[in-house]
Amino acid sequence: MKPHDSSPLSDYIEYPAHEMLKRSENFYQEIKRRHSIRSFSNRPVAREVIENCIKAAGTAPSGANHQPWHFVAISDPEIKAQIREQAETHEKSFYQGRGGDEWLTALKPLGTDDNKPYLTHAPWLIAIFSEKKGGIHAEDKNTNYYVHESVGIATGFLINALHTSGLVTLIHTPKPMSFLSKICNRSENDRAYMLLIVGYPDENASVPHHAQIKKSISEISTFL
Ligand code: IYR
C-alpha cells in the first residue's frame, strides 16, 4: 500500500469459530423474517428511530467513500398526499398497459395494482436519491463513482436497520420517479433512486406465497 493517513482498526471483534457459526446462523434466521409488506398501520414511529437507521445506511461502503446518497424522510401528511397522487397517476397507466404484458404477468402473483394507500397511511416514507456529483464533503461537486452500486448497498443497510429495529418496509419505484425530486426539493444533481415505505404492519398484513419462494443456496451460489 502507498503511504496514506490511517488509524489502527480498533473496533473489529473476532469471534471464536463456533460463535461465528452461530452468529451467521442467527443473522440468517433474523433477516429471513424480513418481508415486503403492503398493508401498513398508521401508528407513529419515532423520528429518532428513522434517524438511527439512516445513520446506519450512511456507514455503507461507497465508491471513493463519496457517499453519493441523500435520504429524505417524510412524515408530513401533505407531502405524503402529493407523493401518493403522483405515484398513483403513473401507476394507473403502468397497470393499464404501459408496463407491457410480460411485466404485468410477472406481477400477478403479488396482487399489486395502482392503489397505493400505504403512501399516505404509513408513518414514514423515505425517498432515496443518488448524487451524480459530490465527494467526501457534502458541498463537493466532484465526480462520484459506482453511484448505483453504492446507493444500492446503502439502501440494503437501511432496510436491514429498519427490519432489525422492528419495522417493516416496502420498496416502491413508481415509473417515472422524477416527480419525487420536485416534491422533495432536490437539485438537478439528485436522481430519485427509490421510495421506501416504513412503519408497523397492519394487523391484516400478509406475505404473498410468490414472495416466499427463495432460491436455494445451490441455486444462488457456486463454490470453487
Ligand atoms: N411499481 C409498481 C409495479 C411493481 C413492479 C415491480 I418489478 C414489483 O416487484 C412490484 C410492483 C407497483 O409498485 O405497483
Side-chain angles (χ1 to χ4, degrees):
M1 292 261 289
K2 290 187 189 154
H4 62 287
D5 291 336
S6 66
S7 47
L9 173 63
S10 57
D11 50 5
Y12 172 74
I13 302 173
E14 181 177 322
Y15 302 104
H18 67 277
E19 200 178 331
M20 181 188 279
L21 184 61
K22 188 74 203 141
R23 289 175 67 90
S24 64
E25 169 64 16
N26 288 349
F27 182 76
Y28 169 54
Q29 293 301 335
E30 177 61 26
I31 202 68
K32 93 190 172 83
R33 294 192 304 102
R34 185 217 58 85
H35 307 289
S36 293
I37 291 302
R38 293 182 174 82
S39 303
F40 283 79
S41 153
N42 62 359
R43 267 170 80 190
V45 169
R47 172 183 168 142
E48 291 73 19
V49 174
I50 304 300
E51 283 178 350
N52 283 335
C53 294
I54 292 174
K55 282 193 222 169
T59 68
S62 62
N65 195 28
H66 281 195
Q67 304 152 62
W69 43 66
H70 191 85
F71 302 92
V72 178
I74 303 150
S75 61
D76 182 320
E78 264 174 44
I79 301 177
K80 288 196 284 187
Q82 283 176 39
I83 291 176
R84 178 174 176 184
E85 194 198 328
Q86 294 270 342
E88 286 185 335
T89 303
H90 293 306
E91 294 293 333
K92 209 158 272 162
S93 74
F94 174 86
Y95 282 99
Q96 279 170 0
R98 187 170 47 85
D101 279 351
E102 187 180 2
W103 196 345
L104 293 171
T105 303
L107 293 180
K108 273 210 177 106
L110 295 174
T112 56
D113 61 21
D114 56 338
N115 293 308
K116 306 295 176 196
Y118 41 75
L119 291 176
T120 46
H121 209 64
W124 290 98
L125 306 179
I126 305 179
I128 303 167
F129 294 90
S130 64
E131 304 189 321
K132 243 193 306 212
K133 298 270 177 188
I136 186 87
H137 301 113
E139 64 278 10
D140 289 346
K141 285 282 166 273
N142 303 315
T143 302
N144 283 332
Y145 307 98
Y146 298 105
V147 171
H148 213 73
E149 293 83 348
S150 303
V151 182
I153 296 167
T155 300
F157 275 36
L158 179 60
I159 292 170
N160 190 357
L162 291 161
H163 167 75
T164 302
S165 303
L167 295 167
V168 296
T169 57
L170 177 70
I171 289 168
H172 185 47
T173 48
K175 226 172 140 94
M177 263 194 301
S178 40
F179 71 86
L180 277 179
S181 305
K182 277 198 203 91
I183 293 177
C184 297
N185 265 325
R186 300 312 299 163
S187 76
E188 284 281 291
N189 189 42
D190 282 22
R191 195 163 157 220
Y193 184 79
M194 63 175 61
L195 184 64
L196 213 56
I197 295 100
V198 180
Y200 290 96
D202 183 82
E203 53 196 14
N204 303 316
S206 63
V207 182
H209 287 159
H210 180 77
Q212 296 176 45
I213 303 166
K214 299 295 181 193
K215 291 177 182 167
S216 68
I217 173 96
S218 64
E219 289 170 313
I220 64 166
S221 64
T222 303
F223 287 72
L224 302 175

